[in-house]
Amino acid sequence: MRRLSLCIILTASVLAASAQVSVEAVIDSIQIFVGQQAHVTLTATAKENAKVEFPQFKPMEYITPGVEVLDRQELEQQPQDNGFVSRSMVYTMTSFDDTLYYIPPMTVKIDGKPYKSKSLALKVLTIEVDTLHAEQFFGPKDVQDNPFQWSDWSLPFWLSVLMLVLLAVTYYFYLRLRDNKPIISHIRIVKRLLPHQKAMKEIEQIKADKMVSSENSKEYYTKLTDTLRKYIEERYGFNAMEMTSSEIIEKLMASQDQKALDELRQLFTTADLVKFAKYSTLINENDANLVNAIDFINQTKLENVPVEETVKPQLSEEDQRSQKTRRVLKYFITAIAVVCLALFAYVVYTLYMLLV
């Protein structure tokens, strides 16, 4: 008796659980025209943790001859009583033959056990053609152009306008950059004459001009002493051009022998007398002073000195600002050119998509 009672209780429990598991199929329209679509909703109600497997139809697969399954979409599950939930799958179907179709039951597996829905019917209709009034029918039409819509063309149009404005701005800045000639800074290697070479060149010029024998002694001694002053200034590094003859001799006494300085002093003394006291010299006296000047230069010259000088240009503040402005203009022109190229590519692509 106990075994019988236990079997009855278990059987009743299984039947009660089975009674709550259900599968239903509903179609939204039992009649459609050829080519229209109907939707079949297949709903399975089971425990929340139950494994539910709906039928899997591939696109364009026939559920029954003449009825195609176009798509399927699973809906969100809906909670039910006693821990049950409803899961639904919507199948989109269509047909191109006018007839009444029988849609067989659809099988859903719940925890591996198959459950079938009820069968459905689908009526496919065609549009009736009035063959008695053929004049109401129109023949085939030619290919029609798509209507012009400003919304489709507005974006490429305004982008083209923007591109043209940017090109105009770019051309303006290019003209400014072209008109302002670039400042080219080069480091130059200059070969310079040594102080004694410059002095001897001046003395040779004095000889060529025959100033030694000229009656204008003042001009001769002025040229000769200026040549010596320039030589001393470059050779010894002090401002001999602004010093008196005695100051120059005093400055040189620390580094030169007395004989050379005596000859130089005599030369400067004679020159001062000629320039300031209108002293008249003899021709041989002029020659002697010229020889003394050459001897002094030869005794004090420095020959082992580099004759090449590196000259680095010094740019003014205005030139530096000009270089900076040109650099900014180049960057700006390059950036605008890249933007214009991107806009052109996008406009061409958009027009191609609109015209295809």
Side-chain angles (χ1 to χ4, degrees):
M1 289 295 292
R2 290 182 179 178
R3 291 182 179 179
L4 181 59
S5 299
L6 182 59
C7 289
I8 294 173
I9 294 173
L10 292 174
T11 302
S13 300
V14 171
L15 291 175
S18 300
Q20 297 182 11
V21 175
S22 63
V23 174
E24 296 181 358
V26 179
I27 190 169
D28 61 349
S29 178
I30 61 174
Q31 289 186 351
I32 61 172
F33 287 103
V34 171
Q36 286 187 328
Q37 297 176 357
H39 300 87
V40 175
T41 303
L42 184 62
T43 303
T45 303
K47 286 288 187 179
E48 185 175 2
N49 56 357
K51 182 180 180 181
V52 178
E53 300 178 31
F54 288 98
Q56 302 295 319
F57 295 101
K58 297 179 180 179
M60 311 304 293
E61 183 179 351
Y62 288 94
I63 189 173
T64 189
V67 179
E68 300 178 23
V69 179
L70 302 178
D71 191 17
R72 67 175 185 272
Q73 181 182 5
E74 186 172 0
L75 304 180
E76 294 183 1
Q77 62 184 17
Q78 301 295 328
Q80 304 293 330
D81 297 333
N82 300 325
F84 279 74
V85 293
S86 296
R87 299 178 177 87
S88 300
M89 183 76 73
V90 178
Y91 298 91
T92 302
M93 303 179 183
T94 189
S95 178
F96 297 94
D97 295 322
D98 57 331
T99 186
L100 177 63
Y101 291 98
Y102 167 76
I103 300 177
M106 304 173 70
T107 303
V108 179
K109 290 185 179 181
I110 302 176
D111 290 334
K113 184 177 180 181
Y115 293 87
K116 291 187 176 182
S117 67
K118 65 181 180 179
S119 60
L120 301 173
L122 178 63
K123 177 68 174 180
V124 181
L125 305 175
T126 59
I127 299 176
E128 295 184 1
V129 179
D130 188 0
T131 57
L132 297 178
H133 301 87
E135 69 279 359
Q136 296 181 358
F137 296 95
F138 301 94
K141 297 182 180 295
D142 294 334
V143 177
Q144 302 294 313
D145 294 332
N146 290 329
F148 176 82
Q149 294 183 356
W150 172 247
S151 59
D152 296 335
W153 296 84
S154 59
L155 180 60
F157 172 78
W158 290 116
L159 289 180
S160 301
V161 173
L162 176 61
M163 182 180 64
L164 293 176
V165 172
L166 291 178
L167 287 176
V169 173
T170 304
Y171 183 69
Y172 169 74
F173 283 114
Y174 167 75
L175 292 179
R176 288 195 57 187
L177 187 65
R178 186 193 63 181
D179 294 340
N180 185 12
K181 293 183 179 180
I183 301 173
I184 302 176
S185 301
H186 295 295
I187 298 176
R188 296 181 293 113
I189 305 298
V190 179
K191 291 186 177 181
R192 60 183 180 88
L193 294 176
L194 295 177
H196 70 276
Q197 293 174 337
K198 292 181 182 179
M200 293 303 297
K201 189 175 180 181
E202 292 289 337
I203 290 176
E204 291 297 328
Q205 187 63 41
I206 292 174
K207 291 180 179 180
D209 294 340
K210 297 181 180 181
M211 298 180 66
V212 177
S213 59
S214 175
E215 295 180 357
N216 192 351
S217 299
K218 182 178 181 180
E219 182 183 1
Y220 164 69
Y221 280 99
T222 300
K223 184 71 174 178
L224 183 60
T225 54
D226 285 347
T227 300
L228 286 174
R229 287 173 184 272
K230 291 178 183 178
Y231 167 73
I232 293 171
E233 182 173 317
E234 294 183 6
R235 167 65 177 81
Y236 293 98
F238 59 86
N239 191 7
M241 296 296 295
E242 303 296 332
M243 299 172 67
T244 63
S245 300
S246 58
E247 289 174 342
I248 295 174
I249 298 299
E250 185 179 354
K251 192 79 173 178
L252 293 174
M253 287 183 64
S255 57
Q256 298 300 320
D257 60 59
Q258 190 64 37
K259 182 180 179 180
L261 291 179
D262 288 341
E263 294 176 351
L264 185 64
R265 184 184 292 109
Q266 182 180 353
L267 189 156
F268 277 123
T269 300
T270 302
D272 290 341
L273 290 172
V274 171
K275 289 188 291 183
F276 304 112
K278 297 182 179 181
Y279 174 74
S280 297
T281 60
L282 301 176
I283 295 178
N284 58 351
E285 189 176 3
N286 294 342
D287 291 335
N289 286 326
L290 183 64
V291 172
N292 291 337
I294 295 174
D295 289 341
F296 175 77
I297 293 172
N298 289 330
Q299 291 177 18
T300 58
K301 66 182 180 181
L302 294 177
E303 293 184 319
N304 298 326
V305 177
V307 296
E308 292 186 353
E309 181 181 3
T310 301
V311 179
K312 296 182 179 180
Q314 298 293 329
L315 297 180
S316 63
E317 293 184 1
E318 183 178 356
D319 291 336
Q320 293 177 359
R321 286 195 299 269
S322 178
Q323 281 189 333
K324 184 177 180 181
T325 302
R326 290 177 59 81
R327 193 178 302 113
V328 172
L329 282 177
K330 288 180 180 179
Y331 291 153
F332 190 72
I333 290 173
T334 303
I336 295 181
V338 172
V339 173
C340 289
L341 184 61
L343 287 176
F344 177 77
Y346 180 78
V347 169
V348 170
Y349 173 76
T350 305
L351 292 178
Y352 173 77
M353 297 301 296
L354 289 172
L355 295 176
V356 170

